[in-house]
Amino acid sequence: YIDRVVEWCQQQEITPKGHPLVWDTPAGSPDRWLPDDPAEIERLSKSRVKEIVQRFAGRIDIWDVVNEPTDLGRSPTKMARWARQLGAVPYTRMHLLVAREANPKATLLVNDYRVDEGFLRILQQLKDEQGRFLFDVVGLQSHMHGGVWSVARTWQVCELFASLGLPL
């Protein structure tokens, strides 16, 4: 199905973006077959990210690698328990490194609905040994459950994350 969607996008000159490679919610966690062993969950997760990014390289080159790292472990899934044990920064770092290795030309994002200092602190820690960010773009989302954001709120959020010096 995804191959057909990507082909249609190419025909329409639409640039597709993959969302998300890893997410620890029931919707994104295969609890029916995921093992209990954290080391095996890690191996499978890394393998899946590598497989997907390599498979679609040149067709999907923009990826939300990790979705909502500020809220790891909120669901009772095996993936969530493993992610919570690792912590947001190691969990996100690991998957960014795998995705980058799988397609060095890809544009990588970390995406979150929590557009606050907590998310900013996670992003600030996702750097390599030379101090370069491991991702290329900050993914910001809002479900606007509390109502539509005002222009001032949108500006405030953008200013906070613009401090990283990366595209939003």
Side-chain angles (χ1 to χ4, degrees):
Y1 172 76
I2 304 258
D3 287 316
R4 289 194 323 265
V5 170
V6 170
E7 184 179 327
W8 182 88
C9 287
Q10 289 173 325
Q11 291 168 355
Q12 309 309 313
E13 298 183 19
I14 296 170
T15 302
K17 173 177 161 263
H19 170 83
L21 289 169
V22 288
W23 190 21
D24 71 325
T25 67
S29 182
D31 256 15
R32 290 186 305 274
W33 58 263
L34 202 60
D36 292 323
D37 177 28
E40 184 63 4
I41 292 172
E42 179 174 322
R43 187 191 71 73
L44 289 168
S45 186
K46 289 165 64 174
S47 175
R48 184 66 174 150
V49 168
K50 179 180 179 181
E51 173 192 340
I52 292 169
V53 173
Q54 284 181 337
R55 178 172 182 233
F56 290 102
R59 297 184 300 149
I60 302 176
D61 290 324
I62 304 170
W63 292 99
D64 284 329
V65 177
V66 175
N67 190 51
E68 302 175 358
T70 63
D71 213 1
L72 292 182
R74 72 173 173 239
S75 62
T77 66
K78 294 173 186 177
M79 186 84 169
R81 284 192 297 278
W82 168 67
R84 186 174 45 250
Q85 287 174 346
L86 280 178
V89 173
Y91 171 82
T92 305
R93 175 184 302 279
M94 170 194 322
H95 291 102
L96 285 167
L97 291 172
V98 170
R100 180 70 70 206
E101 183 179 332
N103 182 356
K105 295 179 181 177
T107 299
L108 306 181
L109 291 85
V110 180
N111 183 63
D112 214 304
Y113 73 95
R114 272 195 48 194
V115 289
D116 60 12
E117 294 284 340
F119 184 38
L120 183 65
R121 282 191 297 277
I122 290 170
L123 296 176
Q124 289 169 330
Q125 296 176 69
L126 295 170
K127 294 183 177 180
D128 66 13
E129 297 77 30
Q130 288 76 40
R132 295 177 301 224
F133 285 105
L134 298 173
F135 58 97
D136 306 298
V137 178
V138 178
L140 303 174
Q141 60 174 300
S142 173
H143 301 288
M144 297 190 193
H145 296 287
V148 177
W149 285 3
S150 67
V151 172
R153 172 71 175 135
T154 303
W155 186 267
Q156 175 190 30
V157 168
C158 290
E159 283 295 307
L160 177 65
F161 290 95
S163 67
L164 296 171
L166 296 171
L168 307 178

